[in-house]
Protein backbone atom coordinates (compact mmCIF):
# COMPACT_ATOMS: atom_id res chain seq x y z
CA UNK A 1 0.00 0.00 0.00
CA UNK A 2 2.99 2.28 0.64
CA UNK A 3 5.89 0.63 -1.13
CA UNK A 4 8.46 2.82 0.64
CA UNK A 5 7.14 1.99 4.12
CA UNK A 6 8.38 1.18 6.67
CA UNK A 7 11.74 2.85 6.05
CA UNK A 8 15.02 1.03 6.52
CA UNK A 9 16.81 2.63 9.44
CA UNK A 10 20.40 2.48 10.55
CA UNK A 11 20.95 0.16 13.54
CA UNK A 12 21.55 3.19 15.79
CA UNK A 13 18.39 4.95 14.61
CA UNK A 14 16.22 1.85 15.08
CA UNK A 15 17.62 1.21 18.57
CA UNK A 16 16.79 4.78 19.58
CA UNK A 17 13.26 4.45 18.23
CA UNK A 18 12.75 1.09 19.95
CA UNK A 19 14.02 2.46 23.26
CA UNK A 20 11.61 5.40 23.09
CA UNK A 21 8.70 3.12 22.13
CA UNK A 22 9.52 0.72 24.96
CA UNK A 23 9.70 3.51 27.55
CA UNK A 24 6.45 4.99 26.27
CA UNK A 25 4.74 1.59 26.51
CA UNK A 26 5.92 0.87 30.03
CA UNK A 27 5.04 4.32 31.33
CA UNK A 28 1.59 4.54 29.70
CA UNK A 29 0.15 1.12 30.54
CA UNK A 30 0.75 -0.53 27.16
CA UNK A 31 1.74 -3.67 29.03
CA UNK A 32 0.99 -7.31 29.79
CA UNK A 33 1.86 -9.64 32.63
CA UNK A 34 4.87 -11.77 31.63
CA UNK A 35 4.44 -15.43 30.77
CA UNK A 36 5.22 -17.38 33.96
CA UNK A 37 8.19 -19.70 34.04
CA UNK A 38 7.54 -23.46 34.18
CA UNK A 39 8.37 -23.40 37.90
CA UNK A 40 5.77 -20.71 38.66
CA UNK A 41 2.12 -21.51 39.19
CA UNK A 42 0.72 -17.98 39.09
CA UNK A 43 1.15 -14.86 36.99
CA UNK A 44 3.49 -12.31 38.57
CA UNK A 45 1.75 -9.40 40.29
CA UNK A 46 4.95 -7.35 40.56
CA UNK A 47 6.27 -7.21 37.00
CA UNK A 48 5.11 -6.36 33.49
CA UNK A 49 6.39 -6.35 29.91
CA UNK A 50 5.34 -4.11 27.07
CA UNK A 51 2.56 -5.53 24.91
CA UNK A 52 3.41 -6.63 21.35
CA UNK A 53 3.23 -3.61 19.04
CA UNK A 54 4.20 -2.39 15.58
CA UNK A 55 7.05 0.09 15.51
CA UNK A 56 5.29 2.19 12.85
CA UNK A 57 1.63 2.78 11.98
CA UNK A 58 0.45 0.67 9.05
CA UNK A 59 -0.97 2.15 5.84
CA UNK A 60 -4.70 1.51 5.50
CA UNK A 61 -7.05 2.84 2.78
CA UNK A 62 -9.02 5.74 4.24
CA UNK A 63 -12.19 4.86 2.28
CA UNK A 64 -12.25 1.32 3.71
CA UNK A 65 -11.57 2.59 7.24
CA UNK A 66 -14.50 4.99 6.95
CA UNK A 67 -16.65 2.21 5.49
CA UNK A 68 -15.93 0.00 8.51
CA UNK A 69 -16.87 2.79 10.90
CA UNK A 70 -20.10 3.49 9.00
CA UNK A 71 -21.04 -0.23 9.09
CA UNK A 72 -20.74 -0.56 12.86
CA UNK A 73 -24.10 1.00 13.86
CA UNK A 74 -25.80 -1.24 11.30
CA UNK A 75 -24.12 -4.33 12.73
CA UNK A 76 -24.96 -3.16 16.26
CA UNK A 77 -28.61 -2.84 15.24
CA UNK A 78 -28.60 -6.22 13.51
CA UNK A 79 -27.11 -8.16 16.40
CA UNK A 80 -29.34 -6.39 18.91
CA UNK A 81 -32.32 -7.57 16.84
CA UNK A 82 -31.00 -11.14 16.75
CA UNK A 83 -30.46 -11.09 20.51
CA UNK A 84 -34.14 -10.23 20.97
CA UNK A 85 -35.39 -12.75 18.36
CA UNK A 86 -36.23 -15.93 20.27
CA UNK A 87 -37.48 -17.76 17.18
CA UNK A 88 -34.25 -17.07 15.28
CA UNK A 89 -32.02 -18.27 18.14
CA UNK A 90 -34.12 -21.39 18.61
CA UNK A 91 -33.98 -22.23 14.93
CA UNK A 92 -30.32 -21.39 14.23
CA UNK A 93 -28.52 -22.21 17.49
CA UNK A 94 -31.03 -24.59 19.02
CA UNK A 95 -30.93 -26.80 15.94
CA UNK A 96 -27.89 -28.85 15.05
CA UNK A 97 -25.35 -26.44 16.62
CA UNK A 98 -26.57 -26.90 20.19
CA UNK A 99 -26.79 -30.65 19.66
CA UNK A 100 -23.30 -31.27 18.27
CA UNK A 101 -21.37 -28.51 20.09
CA UNK A 102 -21.48 -29.19 23.83
CA UNK A 103 -20.37 -25.67 24.78
CA UNK A 104 -23.01 -23.93 22.66
CA UNK A 105 -25.52 -26.50 23.89
CA UNK A 106 -24.90 -25.61 27.53
CA UNK A 107 -25.23 -21.90 26.83
CA UNK A 108 -28.44 -22.60 24.91
CA UNK A 109 -29.81 -24.66 27.83
CA UNK A 110 -29.15 -21.76 30.23
CA UNK A 111 -30.97 -19.39 27.87
CA UNK A 112 -33.97 -21.73 27.59
CA UNK A 113 -34.06 -22.20 31.36
CA UNK A 114 -34.18 -18.49 32.16
CA UNK A 115 -36.69 -17.84 29.36
CA UNK A 116 -39.02 -20.46 30.86
CA UNK A 117 -38.58 -19.04 34.37
CA UNK A 118 -39.05 -15.46 33.19
CA UNK A 119 -36.28 -12.99 32.36
CA UNK A 120 -35.54 -10.81 35.39
CA UNK A 121 -33.53 -8.20 33.49
CA UNK A 122 -34.47 -7.54 29.86
CA UNK A 123 -31.73 -4.94 29.28
CA UNK A 124 -28.38 -6.19 28.04
CA UNK A 125 -25.19 -4.42 27.00
CA UNK A 126 -23.10 -5.27 23.98
CA UNK A 127 -19.50 -4.11 23.71
CA UNK A 128 -19.08 -5.48 20.20
CA UNK A 129 -16.20 -5.65 17.74
CA UNK A 130 -16.56 -6.36 14.03
CA UNK A 131 -13.32 -7.59 12.44
CA UNK A 132 -12.38 -7.08 8.78
CA UNK A 133 -9.65 -7.86 6.27
CA UNK A 134 -9.00 -6.07 3.00
CA UNK A 135 -9.81 -8.31 0.05
CA UNK A 136 -7.26 -7.44 -2.65
CA UNK A 137 -7.31 -10.10 -5.40
CA UNK A 138 -5.61 -7.63 -7.79
CA UNK A 139 -3.20 -4.70 -7.58
CA UNK A 140 -5.95 -2.24 -8.46
CA UNK A 141 -6.46 -0.46 -5.14
CA UNK A 142 -9.76 1.04 -6.28
CA UNK A 143 -11.17 -2.50 -6.52
CA UNK A 144 -10.12 -3.53 -3.03
CA UNK A 145 -13.01 -4.44 -0.72
CA UNK A 146 -13.64 -4.64 3.00
CA UNK A 147 -14.71 -8.15 4.07
CA UNK A 148 -15.88 -9.21 7.51
CA UNK A 149 -13.93 -11.96 9.26
CA UNK A 150 -16.18 -12.29 12.30
CA UNK A 151 -18.42 -10.43 14.74
CA UNK A 152 -17.58 -10.59 18.45
CA UNK A 153 -20.31 -10.20 21.08
CA UNK A 154 -18.35 -11.19 24.20
CA UNK A 155 -15.05 -10.10 25.74
CA UNK A 156 -14.00 -7.85 22.85
CA UNK A 157 -10.53 -7.05 24.17
CA UNK A 158 -7.67 -4.62 23.48
CA UNK A 159 -9.83 -1.50 23.29
CA UNK A 160 -7.64 0.20 25.89
CA UNK A 161 -4.28 -1.03 24.57
CA UNK A 162 -5.21 -0.18 20.98
CA UNK A 163 -5.90 3.36 22.16
CA UNK A 164 -2.45 3.46 23.75
CA UNK A 165 -0.69 2.19 20.59
CA UNK A 166 -2.30 4.93 18.51
CA UNK A 167 -1.16 7.49 21.07
CA UNK A 168 2.35 6.02 20.99
CA UNK A 169 2.59 6.25 17.21
CA UNK A 170 1.46 9.88 17.31
CA UNK A 171 4.09 10.58 19.97
CA UNK A 172 6.84 8.88 17.98
CA UNK A 173 5.85 10.99 14.98
CA UNK A 174 6.00 14.20 17.03
CA UNK A 175 9.35 13.16 18.54
CA UNK A 176 11.05 13.54 15.17
CA UNK A 177 12.47 10.01 15.23
CA UNK A 178 10.23 8.80 12.41
CA UNK A 179 11.82 9.43 9.01
CA UNK A 180 9.95 12.01 6.94
CA UNK A 181 7.13 10.87 4.68
CA UNK A 182 4.92 13.48 2.99
CA UNK A 183 1.70 11.58 3.71
CA UNK A 184 2.48 10.72 7.35
CA UNK A 185 1.02 13.62 9.32
CA UNK A 186 -0.86 13.88 12.63
CA UNK A 187 -4.09 14.23 10.63
CA UNK A 188 -3.47 10.89 8.90
CA UNK A 189 -3.36 9.03 12.26
CA UNK A 190 -7.00 8.84 13.42
CA UNK A 191 -7.87 9.42 17.05
CA UNK A 192 -9.07 6.25 18.76
CA UNK A 193 -11.92 6.61 21.24
CA UNK A 194 -12.13 2.92 22.15
CA UNK A 195 -11.07 3.25 25.80
CA UNK A 196 -13.35 6.18 26.59
CA UNK A 197 -16.22 4.79 24.51
CA UNK A 198 -16.23 1.30 26.02
CA UNK A 199 -16.09 2.75 29.54
CA UNK A 200 -18.95 5.13 28.68
CA UNK A 201 -20.98 2.12 27.50
CA UNK A 202 -20.45 0.39 30.85
CA UNK A 203 -21.46 3.59 32.65
CA UNK A 204 -24.62 3.89 30.55
CA UNK A 205 -25.65 0.34 31.47
CA UNK A 206 -24.98 1.04 35.15
CA UNK A 207 -27.19 4.13 34.98
CA UNK A 208 -29.91 2.13 33.22
CA UNK A 209 -29.93 -0.22 36.21
CA UNK A 210 -30.93 2.76 38.31
CA UNK A 211 -29.03 2.32 41.56
CA UNK A 212 -26.04 4.61 42.03
CA UNK A 213 -24.44 2.74 44.92
CA UNK A 214 -24.39 -0.62 43.08
CA UNK A 215 -21.12 -1.87 41.58
CA UNK A 216 -20.01 -3.09 38.16
CA UNK A 217 -18.52 -6.59 38.28
CA UNK A 218 -15.84 -7.35 35.70
CA UNK A 219 -15.43 -11.15 35.48
CA UNK A 220 -11.92 -12.17 34.44
CA UNK A 221 -9.90 -15.31 33.83
CA UNK A 222 -7.67 -16.76 36.51
CA UNK A 223 -4.03 -15.70 36.03
CA UNK A 224 -5.02 -12.97 33.60
CA UNK A 225 -2.03 -11.70 31.57
CA UNK A 226 -4.06 -9.01 29.83
CA UNK A 227 -4.81 -7.28 33.13
CA UNK A 228 -3.84 -3.77 32.09
CA UNK A 229 -6.21 -3.59 29.14
CA UNK A 230 -8.89 -4.31 31.73
CA UNK A 231 -7.44 -2.02 34.42
CA UNK A 232 -7.41 0.97 32.08
CA UNK A 233 -11.15 0.47 31.48
CA UNK A 234 -11.71 0.04 35.22
CA UNK A 235 -9.93 3.29 36.02
CA UNK A 236 -11.78 5.13 33.26
CA UNK A 237 -15.11 3.97 34.71
CA UNK A 238 -14.07 4.98 38.23
CA UNK A 239 -12.34 8.29 37.41
CA UNK A 240 -14.58 9.64 34.64
CA UNK A 241 -17.96 8.27 35.72
CA UNK A 242 -17.65 7.84 39.50
CA UNK A 243 -18.78 4.20 39.41
CA UNK A 244 -17.19 1.43 41.47
CA UNK A 245 -15.92 -1.48 39.38
CA UNK A 246 -14.61 -4.71 40.88
CA UNK A 247 -12.41 -7.12 38.89
CA UNK A 248 -13.00 -10.66 40.11
CA UNK A 249 -11.78 -14.00 38.69
CA UNK A 250 -14.57 -16.27 37.46
CA UNK A 251 -13.53 -19.06 39.84
CA UNK A 252 -13.89 -16.81 42.91
CA UNK A 253 -17.56 -16.22 42.17
CA UNK A 254 -18.46 -19.79 43.13
CA UNK A 255 -18.87 -18.82 46.78
CA UNK A 256 -19.30 -15.03 46.66
CA UNK A 257 -22.45 -14.51 44.57
CA UNK A 258 -26.06 -14.86 45.70
CA UNK A 259 -29.52 -13.64 44.79
CA UNK A 260 -31.43 -11.34 47.14
CA UNK A 261 -34.49 -13.03 48.66
CA UNK A 262 -37.94 -11.51 48.90
CA UNK A 263 -38.21 -9.04 51.78
CA UNK A 264 -40.78 -6.63 53.20
CA UNK A 265 -37.99 -4.23 54.15
CA UNK A 266 -38.04 -1.32 51.67
CA UNK A 267 -34.32 -0.72 52.22
CA UNK A 268 -33.36 -4.25 51.17
CA UNK A 269 -32.34 -5.07 47.59
CA UNK A 270 -35.20 -6.11 45.31
CA UNK A 271 -35.74 -9.87 44.91
CA UNK A 272 -33.29 -11.48 42.49
CA UNK A 273 -30.82 -8.63 42.81
CA UNK A 274 -27.29 -10.00 42.33
CA UNK A 275 -25.22 -9.70 45.50
CA UNK A 276 -21.45 -10.02 45.68
CA UNK A 277 -19.78 -10.63 49.04
CA UNK A 278 -16.16 -9.47 48.80
CA UNK A 279 -13.36 -11.25 50.66
CA UNK A 280 -12.84 -8.18 52.86
CA UNK A 281 -15.05 -5.31 54.07
CA UNK A 282 -15.17 -1.95 52.29
CA UNK A 283 -14.38 0.68 54.95
CA UNK A 284 -15.83 3.43 52.78
CA UNK A 285 -19.31 1.91 53.03
CA UNK A 286 -19.15 0.93 56.70
CA UNK A 287 -16.13 2.23 58.67
CA UNK A 288 -16.81 -0.08 61.61
CA UNK A 289 -17.47 -3.22 59.59
CA UNK A 290 -15.47 -6.23 60.69
CA UNK A 291 -16.94 -8.74 58.28
CA UNK A 292 -17.63 -8.33 54.56
CA UNK A 293 -21.11 -7.16 53.62
CA UNK A 294 -22.77 -8.01 50.29
CA UNK A 295 -22.86 -5.29 47.64
CA UNK A 296 -25.47 -5.10 44.89
CA UNK A 297 -24.25 -5.61 41.32
CA UNK A 298 -25.68 -3.42 38.57
CA UNK A 299 -23.77 -4.92 35.62
CA UNK A 300 -21.75 -8.09 34.99
CA UNK A 301 -19.07 -7.45 32.34
CA UNK A 302 -17.50 -10.67 31.06
CA UNK A 303 -13.86 -10.66 30.00
CA UNK A 304 -13.98 -14.46 30.09
CA UNK A 305 -16.65 -17.19 29.74
CA UNK A 306 -16.34 -17.39 25.92
CA UNK A 307 -14.45 -20.71 25.77
CA UNK A 308 -15.04 -24.15 27.32
CA UNK A 309 -11.69 -23.86 29.14
CA UNK A 310 -12.98 -20.77 30.99
CA UNK A 311 -15.43 -22.99 32.84
CA UNK A 312 -12.86 -24.65 35.08
CA UNK A 313 -15.37 -26.80 36.98
CA UNK A 314 -19.12 -27.42 36.91
CA UNK A 315 -19.37 -24.60 39.48
CA UNK A 316 -18.69 -22.00 36.77
CA UNK A 317 -21.73 -23.19 34.83
CA UNK A 318 -23.80 -22.83 38.00
CA UNK A 319 -22.39 -19.33 38.44
CA UNK A 320 -23.33 -18.38 34.88
CA UNK A 321 -26.89 -19.61 35.44
CA UNK A 322 -27.14 -17.72 38.74
CA UNK A 323 -26.03 -14.48 37.08
CA UNK A 324 -28.45 -14.99 34.20
CA UNK A 325 -31.30 -15.45 36.68
CA UNK A 326 -30.51 -12.16 38.38
CA UNK A 327 -31.67 -8.56 37.91
CA UNK A 328 -28.15 -7.44 37.01
CA UNK A 329 -27.56 -6.26 33.45
CA UNK A 330 -25.23 -8.60 31.57
CA UNK A 331 -22.51 -7.74 29.07
CA UNK A 332 -23.38 -9.91 27.26
CA UNK A 333 -26.48 -11.85 28.20
CA UNK A 334 -26.47 -15.50 27.19
CA UNK A 335 -28.81 -14.62 24.31
CA UNK A 336 -26.35 -12.00 23.07
CA UNK A 337 -23.46 -14.45 23.37
CA UNK A 338 -25.41 -17.02 21.33
CA UNK A 339 -26.08 -14.33 18.71
CA UNK A 340 -22.31 -14.12 18.18
CA UNK A 341 -22.02 -17.77 17.11
CA UNK A 342 -20.33 -18.35 13.74
CA UNK A 343 -23.44 -20.21 12.59
CA UNK A 344 -25.42 -16.99 12.98
CA UNK A 345 -22.90 -15.13 10.82
CA UNK A 346 -23.32 -17.77 8.10
CA UNK A 347 -27.13 -17.79 8.23
CA UNK A 348 -27.22 -13.99 7.91
CA UNK A 349 -25.50 -14.30 4.54
CA UNK A 350 -28.48 -16.23 3.13
CA UNK A 351 -31.18 -14.47 1.14
CA UNK A 352 -33.81 -12.50 3.10
CA UNK A 353 -32.20 -13.13 6.52
CA UNK A 354 -31.10 -9.52 7.06
CA UNK A 355 -34.69 -8.30 6.77
CA UNK A 356 -35.38 -9.41 10.34
CA UNK A 357 -33.05 -6.78 11.80
CA UNK A 358 -32.38 -4.13 9.15
CA UNK A 359 -35.51 -2.69 7.50
CA UNK A 360 -33.66 -0.40 5.07
CA UNK A 361 -32.80 -2.02 1.73
CA UNK A 362 -29.88 0.38 1.26
CA UNK A 363 -28.43 -0.54 4.66
CA UNK A 364 -28.88 -4.26 3.97
CA UNK A 365 -26.90 -3.77 0.75
CA UNK A 366 -24.09 -2.12 2.70
CA UNK A 367 -23.93 -5.08 5.08
CA UNK A 368 -24.05 -7.67 2.29
CA UNK A 369 -21.16 -5.95 0.52
CA UNK A 370 -18.99 -6.72 3.57
CA UNK A 371 -19.80 -10.46 3.57
CA UNK A 372 -17.40 -13.01 2.17
CA UNK A 373 -18.47 -16.46 0.96
CA UNK A 374 -20.11 -18.50 3.74
CA UNK A 375 -21.64 -22.00 3.65
CA UNK A 376 -23.20 -24.34 6.21
CA UNK A 377 -21.95 -27.90 6.54
CA UNK A 378 -25.36 -29.53 6.87
CA UNK A 379 -27.44 -31.48 4.35
CA UNK A 380 -29.23 -28.50 2.83
CA UNK A 381 -28.49 -27.51 -0.77
CA UNK A 382 -26.11 -24.83 0.51
CA UNK A 383 -24.56 -27.35 2.89
CA UNK A 384 -23.91 -29.88 0.17
CA UNK A 385 -22.24 -27.14 -1.86
CA UNK A 386 -20.12 -26.26 1.15
CA UNK A 387 -19.08 -29.89 1.55
CA UNK A 388 -18.14 -30.07 -2.12
CA UNK A 389 -16.00 -26.96 -1.88
CA UNK A 390 -14.32 -28.19 1.29
CA UNK A 391 -13.56 -31.52 -0.36
CA UNK A 392 -12.56 -30.39 -3.86
CA UNK A 393 -10.99 -26.93 -3.33
CA UNK A 394 -9.90 -26.76 0.32
CA UNK A 395 -7.00 -24.34 -0.37
CA UNK A 396 -9.54 -21.55 -0.83
CA UNK A 397 -11.31 -21.98 2.53
CA UNK A 398 -11.21 -22.00 6.30
CA UNK A 399 -13.46 -24.21 8.45
CA UNK A 400 -14.68 -22.45 11.60
CA UNK A 401 -16.19 -23.89 14.80
CA UNK A 402 -18.43 -21.93 17.19
CA UNK A 403 -15.50 -20.56 19.20
CA UNK A 404 -13.87 -17.27 20.19
CA UNK A 405 -10.33 -16.42 21.23
CA UNK A 406 -8.18 -17.60 18.30
CA UNK A 407 -6.42 -20.84 17.49
CA UNK A 408 -9.58 -22.87 16.73
CA UNK A 409 -9.91 -22.76 12.93
CA UNK A 410 -8.97 -25.41 10.35
CA UNK A 411 -7.28 -24.12 7.21
CA UNK A 412 -6.83 -25.26 3.63
CA UNK A 413 -5.36 -28.72 3.22
CA UNK A 414 -6.15 -29.66 6.83
CA UNK A 415 -9.88 -29.46 6.10
CA UNK A 416 -10.50 -32.77 4.24
CA UNK A 417 -8.79 -35.03 6.81
CA UNK A 418 -10.49 -33.14 9.63
CA UNK A 419 -13.90 -33.68 8.05
CA UNK A 420 -13.03 -37.33 7.47
CA UNK A 421 -12.26 -37.71 11.18
CA UNK A 422 -15.61 -36.13 12.07
CA UNK A 423 -17.36 -38.51 9.67
CA UNK A 424 -15.68 -41.49 11.33
CA UNK A 425 -17.02 -40.33 14.70
CA UNK A 426 -20.50 -39.95 13.21
CA UNK A 427 -20.62 -43.63 12.25
CA UNK A 428 -21.63 -44.42 15.83
CA UNK A 429 -24.58 -42.03 15.77
CA UNK A 430 -28.17 -43.09 15.28
CA UNK A 431 -30.03 -42.17 12.12
CA UNK A 432 -31.34 -38.62 12.23
CA UNK A 433 -28.79 -37.33 14.74
CA UNK A 434 -26.94 -34.17 13.63
CA UNK A 435 -23.50 -34.76 12.12
CA UNK A 436 -20.37 -33.34 13.74
CA UNK A 437 -19.64 -31.17 10.70
CA UNK A 438 -22.91 -29.29 11.30
CA UNK A 439 -21.23 -27.47 14.17
CA UNK A 440 -18.91 -25.76 11.65
CA UNK A 441 -19.21 -23.24 8.86
CA UNK A 442 -17.07 -22.87 5.74
CA UNK A 443 -15.69 -19.44 4.85
CA UNK A 444 -13.86 -18.23 1.77
CA UNK A 445 -10.34 -17.13 2.55
CA UNK A 446 -9.92 -13.37 2.09
CA UNK A 447 -6.93 -12.33 -0.03
CA UNK A 448 -5.20 -9.43 1.74
CA UNK A 449 -2.82 -7.00 -0.02
CA UNK A 450 0.64 -8.38 -0.77
CA UNK A 451 4.11 -6.95 -0.21
CA UNK A 452 3.10 -4.97 2.86
CA UNK A 453 5.93 -4.71 5.39
CA UNK A 454 6.09 -3.77 9.07
CA UNK A 455 8.47 -3.97 12.03
CA UNK A 456 6.89 -6.23 14.65
CA UNK A 457 8.04 -5.96 18.28
CA UNK A 458 7.01 -8.92 20.40
CA UNK A 459 5.99 -8.49 24.04
CA UNK A 460 8.96 -7.80 26.29
CA UNK A 461 11.55 -7.86 23.50
CA UNK A 462 13.98 -5.02 22.80
CA UNK A 463 14.30 -5.52 19.06
CA UNK A 464 11.96 -5.64 16.12
CA UNK A 465 11.45 -8.11 13.29
CA UNK A 466 10.79 -6.85 9.78
CA UNK A 467 8.16 -9.01 8.11
CA UNK A 468 5.69 -9.23 5.26
CA UNK A 469 2.41 -8.68 7.09
CA UNK A 470 -1.39 -8.75 7.05
CA UNK A 471 -3.48 -6.29 9.07
CA UNK A 472 -6.97 -6.93 10.45
CA UNK A 473 -9.17 -3.98 11.39
CA UNK A 474 -11.64 -4.25 14.24
CA UNK A 475 -14.29 -1.61 14.94
CA UNK A 476 -15.83 -1.34 18.42
CA UNK A 477 -19.50 -0.68 18.93
CA UNK A 478 -21.68 -0.13 21.98
CA UNK A 479 -25.32 -1.19 22.01
CA UNK A 480 -27.76 -1.17 24.92
CA UNK A 481 -30.89 -3.14 24.09
CA UNK A 482 -34.13 -4.13 25.76
CA UNK A 483 -34.38 -7.79 24.70
CA UNK A 484 -38.01 -8.06 25.77
CA UNK A 485 -39.24 -5.22 23.55
CA UNK A 486 -36.51 -5.42 20.92
CA UNK A 487 -35.77 -1.73 21.55
CA UNK A 488 -32.28 -0.31 21.04
CA UNK A 489 -31.54 2.25 23.76
CA UNK A 490 -27.98 3.18 22.76
CA UNK A 491 -26.10 2.49 19.52
CA UNK A 492 -22.73 3.99 18.66
CA UNK A 493 -19.31 3.37 17.15
CA UNK A 494 -16.57 4.06 19.70
CA UNK A 495 -13.14 3.13 18.33
CA UNK A 496 -10.94 0.69 16.48
CA UNK A 497 -8.23 -1.96 16.78
CA UNK A 498 -5.63 -2.81 14.15
CA UNK A 499 -3.88 -6.16 14.62
CA UNK A 500 -0.93 -6.99 12.38
CA UNK A 501 0.72 -10.38 11.95
CA UNK A 502 3.31 -12.03 9.78
CA UNK A 503 1.79 -13.27 6.54
CA UNK A 504 2.90 -16.83 7.36
CA UNK A 505 0.39 -17.00 10.26
CA UNK A 506 -3.26 -17.84 9.60
CA UNK A 507 -4.45 -16.97 13.10
CA UNK A 508 -4.73 -13.39 14.34
CA UNK A 509 -5.00 -13.27 18.15
CA UNK A 510 -2.75 -10.93 20.14
CA UNK A 511 -3.29 -12.69 23.46
CA UNK A 512 -2.34 -16.07 22.00
CA UNK A 513 0.84 -14.68 20.42
CA UNK A 514 0.01 -14.41 16.71
CA UNK A 515 -0.33 -10.64 16.25
CA UNK A 516 0.89 -7.26 17.46
CA UNK A 517 -1.27 -4.23 18.21
CA UNK A 518 -0.99 -1.62 15.49
CA UNK A 519 -2.67 1.63 14.45
CA UNK A 520 -3.85 2.76 11.00
CA UNK A 521 -2.17 5.40 8.88
CA UNK A 522 -4.94 6.51 6.52
CA UNK A 523 -3.84 6.88 2.91
Amino acid sequence: MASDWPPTLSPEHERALLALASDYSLSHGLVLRPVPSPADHDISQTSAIHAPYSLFPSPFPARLFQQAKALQPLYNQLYAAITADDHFLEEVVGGAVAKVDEFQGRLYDIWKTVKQEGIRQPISLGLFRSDYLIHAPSENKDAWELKQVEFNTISSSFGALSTRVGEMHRYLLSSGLYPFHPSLTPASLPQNGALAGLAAGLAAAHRAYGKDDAVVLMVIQDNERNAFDQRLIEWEVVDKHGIRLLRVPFSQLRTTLSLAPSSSDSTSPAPHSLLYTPPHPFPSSSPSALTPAPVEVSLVYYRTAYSPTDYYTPAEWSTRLLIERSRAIKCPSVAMQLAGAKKVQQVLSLAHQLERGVPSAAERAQLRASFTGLWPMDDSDEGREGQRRARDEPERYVLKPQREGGGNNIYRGDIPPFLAALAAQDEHKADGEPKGREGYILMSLIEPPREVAQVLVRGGEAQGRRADVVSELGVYGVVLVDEERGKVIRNETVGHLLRTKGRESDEGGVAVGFSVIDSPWLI
Side-chain angles (χ1 to χ4, degrees):
M1 280 181 282
S3 58
D4 54 349
W5 196 261
T8 300
L9 307 179
S10 69
E12 295 79 8
H13 190 169
E14 184 162 312
R15 279 196 296 271
L17 192 56
L18 284 164
L20 187 57
S22 179
D23 284 351
Y24 187 97
S25 300
L26 293 171
S27 58
H28 287 79
L30 180 52
V31 288
L32 297 172
R33 299 285 189 201
V35 177
S37 69
D40 294 328
H41 297 291
D42 296 314
I43 296 290
S44 170
Q45 299 298 311
T46 58
S47 60
I49 59 174
H50 68 71
Y53 61 80
S54 62
L55 188 56
F56 303 94
S58 287
F60 198 94
R63 68 175 180 88
L64 297 182
F65 180 80
Q66 297 302 332
Q67 180 187 350
K69 289 184 64 178
L71 281 172
Q72 192 60 39
L74 305 183
Y75 271 115
N76 290 347
Q77 175 186 339
L78 174 61
Y79 277 85
I82 293 168
T83 297
D85 191 333
D86 292 356
H87 177 73
F88 182 88
L89 291 178
E90 287 173 354
E91 183 179 12
V92 175
V93 181
V97 170
K99 295 179 175 67
V100 300
D101 186 308
E102 181 182 1
F103 180 68
Q104 292 290 327
R106 297 198 71 165
L107 292 174
Y108 181 79
D109 288 344
I110 288 176
W111 177 65
K112 292 294 289 182
T113 296
V114 295
K115 290 294 290 186
Q116 291 165 2
E117 293 175 351
I119 298 291
R120 303 291 177 179
Q121 176 55 262
I123 296 175
S124 58
L125 173 68
L127 299 187
F128 294 156
R129 196 185 70 227
S130 186
D131 293 334
Y132 305 93
L133 285 171
I134 297 172
H135 184 54
S138 72
E139 295 183 3
N140 179 10
K141 294 182 175 62
D142 292 337
W144 290 0
E145 298 176 293
L146 191 75
K147 294 298 182 182
Q148 187 184 61
V149 178
E150 63 183 1
F151 193 88
N152 305 278
T153 63
I154 182 170
S155 188
S156 300
S157 59
F158 293 109
L161 296 193
S162 66
T163 301
R164 289 290 185 260
V165 169
E167 293 166 350
M168 181 186 74
H169 286 159
R170 280 191 292 276
Y171 173 72
L172 294 176
L173 175 62
S174 67
S175 74
L177 277 180
Y178 277 164
F180 173 77
H181 192 288
S183 299
L184 183 60
T185 65
S188 68
L189 302 181
Q191 295 287 334
N192 190 355
L195 171 56
L198 294 173
L202 293 170
H206 171 83
R207 289 192 296 270
Y209 185 78
K211 192 164 185 180
D212 291 343
D213 61 350
V215 304
V216 175
L217 190 67
M218 183 189 294
V219 184
I220 65 170
Q221 293 176 334
D222 289 1
N223 287 323
E224 177 61 78
R225 291 189 62 222
N226 195 24
F228 300 98
D229 184 60
Q230 300 166 1
R231 288 293 191 190
L232 288 168
I233 292 176
E234 173 189 350
W235 297 327
E236 184 83 7
V237 169
V238 173
D239 293 344
K240 299 293 174 60
H241 302 278
I243 299 168
R244 258 167 61 198
L245 187 152
L246 306 177
R247 260 177 94 253
V248 183
F250 201 5
S251 63
Q252 290 184 16
L253 298 179
R254 302 168 191 166
T255 57
T256 55
L257 286 184
S258 61
L259 298 182
S262 299
S263 173
S264 58
D265 184 353
S266 61
T267 63
S268 297
H272 293 276
S273 295
L274 185 64
L275 304 180
Y276 169 68
T277 303
H280 51 76
F282 288 107
S284 60
S285 58
S286 180
S288 61
L290 298 177
T291 58
V295 291
E296 187 170 347
V297 176
S298 61
L299 169 67
V300 179
Y301 170 35
Y302 289 103
R303 289 298 295 262
T304 183
Y306 53 81
S307 169
T309 56
D310 294 331
Y311 295 75
Y312 312 109
T313 69
E316 277 66 59
W317 286 107
S318 298
T319 297
R320 188 69 191 270
L321 177 58
L322 177 77
I323 293 171
E324 206 67 21
R325 281 171 163 158
S326 77
R327 292 184 61 249
I329 295 173
K330 295 88 184 173
C331 178
S333 65
V334 165
M336 189 173 281
Q337 184 172 349
L338 291 172
K342 301 297 185 295
K343 181 63 178 177
V344 170
Q345 182 185 4
Q346 177 265 309
V347 169
L348 289 174
S349 70
L350 300 174
H352 308 301
Q353 288 293 338
L354 290 181
E355 276 82 345
R356 70 180 62 248
V358 184
S360 164
E363 291 176 344
R364 292 197 299 270
Q366 291 179 57
L367 290 171
R368 285 198 183 94
S370 70
F371 294 165
T372 188
L374 293 159
W375 291 267
M377 296 299 288
D378 54 24
D379 292 323
S380 65
D381 290 344
E382 295 88 355
R384 283 191 287 272
E385 175 62 14
Q387 293 175 57
R388 184 197 67 75
R389 289 170 180 264
R391 181 182 63 251
D392 298 343
E393 340 170 45
E395 294 303 319
R396 298 174 52 198
Y397 299 99
V398 54
L399 192 67
K400 290 189 169 186
Q402 315 300 313
R403 291 288 179 274
E404 304 295 338
N408 300 298
N409 299 332
I410 300 95
Y411 290 88
R412 302 182 181 89
D414 293 335
I415 296 175
F418 182 82
L419 291 175
L422 289 180
Q425 296 172 14
D426 288 338
E427 291 178 358
H428 304 289
K429 291 184 176 180
D431 291 343
E433 285 190 73
K435 305 293 192 295
R437 55 178 155 78
E438 296 183 53
Y440 294 78
I441 67 165
L442 191 71
M443 176 182 282
S444 293
L445 286 169
I446 302 166
E447 300 179 43
R450 296 192 172 275
E451 298 181 0
V452 179
Q454 180 56 272
V455 177
L456 310 177
V457 186
R458 298 181 63 180
E461 293 189 354
Q463 60 186 15
R465 176 177 70 93
R466 185 175 291 264
D468 184 24
V469 297
V470 173
S471 293
E472 182 175 303
L473 177 68
V475 179
Y476 294 100
V478 171
V479 66
L480 195 62
V481 59
D482 185 327
E483 296 181 16
E484 198 168 69
R485 295 186 292 164
K487 179 183 178 182
V488 174
I489 303 167
R490 186 185 185 102
N491 179 359
E492 54 189 351
T493 303
V494 298
H496 58 269
L497 163 70
L498 195 69
R499 290 175 293 178
T500 296
K501 63 182 180 180
R503 181 174 286 275
E504 73 280 357
S505 173
D506 281 317
E507 295 290 353
V510 174
V512 289
F514 298 115
S515 299
V516 304
I517 310 172
D518 198 346
S519 75
W521 162 26
L522 302 185
I523 58 173

